[in-house]
Amino acid sequence: MSARRGAAGLGAATVLALTAGCGMLGIGGGGDDDKSDEQRLVEMLNESARIESDLMAAENRIVQNCLEAAGFTVHDPWSMQAYEEEEMDSLTYGYAHEEFLLPAEEAAEWGFGQWSNSMEGSEDPAAEDYWTAQEEKWSEEDGEWEEPDSTDWDALTPEEQYDWYVAYQGEEYAEYSYGTREDYVGSMAAEEEAMEEELSEDELADLEEEAAAEDDGEIIVEETESEEPKPGGCQLEMIEALYGEPTMVEETWEGDGETETWKYWTYRPQNPAYDSEETMWEDIEADYAAAMSDLQLEFTDCIAARGYEGWEFTEYNSMPIWEFFAELYYQNASEEEQEMMMGGDSETEVPPLPEEAGTTYEEWKAYEIQTAVDFSECGEEVGYADASEKAYDEAHVKAYSAIEEDVYAWQETMNDAVSKAQELLDA
């Protein structure tokens, strides 16, 4: 994670290190011939993350200089934090089969763990041990992240903080993000009262709603269209100095008979690896599904022979584990409880609940564990996991190779922006 830069700027060493990175790799992926395609692409993505993080730090330093020239010497540490993604060691994180093929010992002990999400499961003495085991299982994959020190910022009055937001992004943007000055001051007062009286989150939310209602009596309704105001203040000055005018982007989402449209402003050219993420994901899933189609049939045949009729792979090349067991455990629950757990009707088709699953929580849990064991054994029998990892890895390499030239070109553009930022900071 990039540290906060000194008042003089980033320093020449940082810029030289960054501008050297793309040349070392070479446009089009030149470099060490002994490296695998995946290693080369992983290094490309890690280099992109480092460049973008340092560019964010440069942008923030330019904004801070602007704010300090206007008399604002204390900054919101959350707004001024340069984020860097955790370094990757693989293109692929998480395989579709991991949702329904568990290690044999884990399957035999815990099943899929869906019982722990049920009403009865929350009272099951084994639930605590299960969740402890899950935390230990995933703890190694959680990256370390340190919260910024907000002591100086927290010492400012709400009025001073709001003035900073206005200077940072303009009055219209501050109101869009935090409400009016009165809204912001009221919400901060409610939060302080909650801390003093140890109010619950619900009570705090009620206080904030009351404060907002007292201001203008407005009733907030969920909108299906939203438009972000153009940033102003010192942020706009930085944008115009480094990139020119920001650009309005409009995106639309359609689903469940509803259409949502939102408009927002962008200024820094987006990494092609993220810009084409949706299309890449579709290509990866399609290539993976094609490679696994025969084995998927073998797997469903294997589990059908063990009594699991009607199970089919989802559009995400997995099994509807969560959906099936949610129906199993909540079959006798009220509509309200089902809505809370399952979120309404699911479009994913699941097999009918079998009689052999039983009628009590203990029987359902035993059935889940046996299902996990049988699925695991069938996966081993047909060699599903190894083939799945190979197919998914190859699909990722293919997808990222297709945008490799574009990513290297983007890196050069970003390195130019870093150099320009350095010139502004040194001026």
Side-chain angles (χ1 to χ4, degrees):
M1 187 68 67
S2 299
R4 180 177 292 183
R5 305 295 178 185
L10 292 173
T14 300
V15 174
L16 289 174
L18 287 171
T19 53
C22 191
M24 288 170 64
L25 287 170
I27 296 300
D32 191 343
D33 292 335
D34 293 334
K35 290 178 182 175
S36 69
D37 289 339
E38 183 181 24
Q39 286 176 314
R40 186 187 72 250
L41 293 167
V42 166
E43 288 185 5
M44 175 189 75
L45 295 178
N46 285 335
E47 178 69 6
S48 294
R50 285 190 291 269
I51 292 173
E52 193 156 23
S53 178
D54 277 272
L55 184 53
M56 288 170 63
E59 292 171 356
N60 290 343
R61 187 60 257 175
I62 292 171
V63 169
Q64 288 173 30
N65 285 352
C66 170
L67 289 166
E68 288 165 10
F72 297 93
T73 57
V74 177
H75 308 293
D76 176 8
W78 296 95
S79 298
M80 294 291 104
Q81 188 174 40
Y83 172 75
E84 181 177 344
E85 292 188 8
E86 192 172 344
E87 188 165 301
M88 301 170 61
D89 54 21
S90 170
L91 293 179
T92 312
Y93 286 92
Y95 297 94
H97 68 266
E98 291 175 334
E99 296 181 13
F100 63 93
L101 293 183
L102 302 176
E105 290 184 7
E106 183 177 343
E109 184 172 8
W110 307 115
F112 298 109
Q114 296 303 307
W115 52 270
S116 66
N117 293 318
S118 68
M119 293 181 293
E120 296 90 341
S122 62
E123 304 296 328
D124 191 327
E128 185 175 348
D129 291 337
Y130 169 72
W131 287 114
T132 299
Q134 291 304 298
E135 288 175 9
E136 292 174 355
K137 177 181 177 181
W138 299 113
S139 61
E140 295 181 1
E141 298 194 8
D142 292 336
E144 293 184 4
W145 183 75
E146 186 177 343
E147 290 190 2
D149 182 3
S150 62
T151 305
D152 293 341
W153 173 258
D154 294 338
L156 297 179
T157 66
E159 291 83 0
E160 289 172 327
Q161 291 179 355
Y162 195 85
D163 288 340
W164 185 93
Y165 288 126
V166 171
Y168 171 40
Q169 292 179 303
E171 188 164 358
E172 187 179 4
Y173 204 98
E175 187 167 330
Y176 170 81
S177 301
Y178 304 100
T180 63
R181 175 185 296 273
E182 291 75 16
D183 290 337
Y184 185 77
V185 172
S187 66
M188 295 298 288
E191 186 175 329
E192 185 176 348
E193 183 179 342
M195 292 175 64
E196 291 176 355
E197 299 182 9
E198 296 185 354
L199 297 180
S200 68
E201 290 185 8
D202 289 340
E203 290 172 323
L204 174 58
D206 289 341
L207 281 175
E208 291 179 347
E209 286 180 12
E210 288 172 13
E214 286 173 4
D215 288 335
D216 49 30
E218 252 188 288
I219 298 175
I220 307 298
V221 228
E222 188 176 345
E223 297 181 353
T224 55
E225 181 173 336
S226 63
E227 180 174 335
E228 177 188 55
K230 181 179 179 180
C234 286
Q235 186 182 49
L236 181 60
E237 287 190 27
M238 176 276 293
I239 293 170
E240 292 175 336
L242 285 182
Y243 308 103
E245 279 294 309
T247 304
M248 168 70 80
V249 175
E250 180 176 325
E251 292 187 8
T252 301
W253 175 86
E254 295 183 4
D256 300 327
E258 296 180 2
T259 300
E260 293 185 13
T261 302
W262 60 97
K263 302 175 183 178
Y264 59 93
W265 294 86
T266 183
Y267 56 90
R268 186 193 311 127
Q270 189 169 11
N271 186 339
Y274 304 135
D275 197 35
S276 56
E277 192 170 22
E278 185 175 345
T279 304
M280 282 179 58
W281 178 255
E282 291 173 356
D283 291 343
I284 288 171
E285 289 297 308
D287 287 343
Y288 173 76
M292 295 298 295
S293 59
D294 290 341
L295 265 185
Q296 287 182 351
L297 286 175
E298 287 186 39
F299 179 79
T300 52
D301 286 346
C302 180
I303 60 174
R306 293 180 179 231
Y308 302 97
E309 297 280 355
W311 283 83
E312 295 181 356
F313 280 86
T314 68
E315 60 179 316
Y316 304 108
N317 294 297
S318 186
M319 286 271 144
I321 299 296
W322 184 88
E323 293 87 348
F324 175 82
F325 286 103
E327 286 202 12
L328 179 68
Y329 288 111
Y330 280 78
Q331 60 184 288
N332 299 324
S334 66
E335 288 187 15
E336 183 180 350
E337 290 168 332
Q338 290 181 359
E339 176 72 24
M340 181 178 65
M341 178 59 185
M342 298 184 280
D345 295 334
S346 171
E347 295 181 2
T348 303
E349 294 186 7
V350 299
L353 299 180
E355 291 184 6
E356 53 267 33
T359 57
T360 66
Y361 166 72
E362 290 75 15
E363 290 175 326
W364 296 337
K365 181 179 177 182
Y367 179 78
E368 178 190 337
I369 291 173
Q370 187 59 53
T371 303
V373 169
D374 287 337
F375 277 31
S376 176
E377 290 177 355
C378 276
E380 187 70 27
E381 185 178 316
V382 303
Y384 197 96
D386 290 342
S388 172
E389 290 184 12
K390 182 176 183 294
Y392 215 44
D393 289 344
E394 289 177 350
H396 276 75
V397 169
K398 179 182 175 182
Y400 280 103
S401 295
I403 61 166
E404 188 173 7
E405 295 283 352
D406 292 338
V407 173
Y408 285 122
W410 173 86
Q411 286 183 358
E412 285 199 334
T413 301
M414 294 302 95
N415 281 325
D416 290 342
V418 171
S419 298
K420 189 173 185 179
Q422 184 64 56
E423 292 173 4
L424 291 172
L425 291 168
D426 289 341

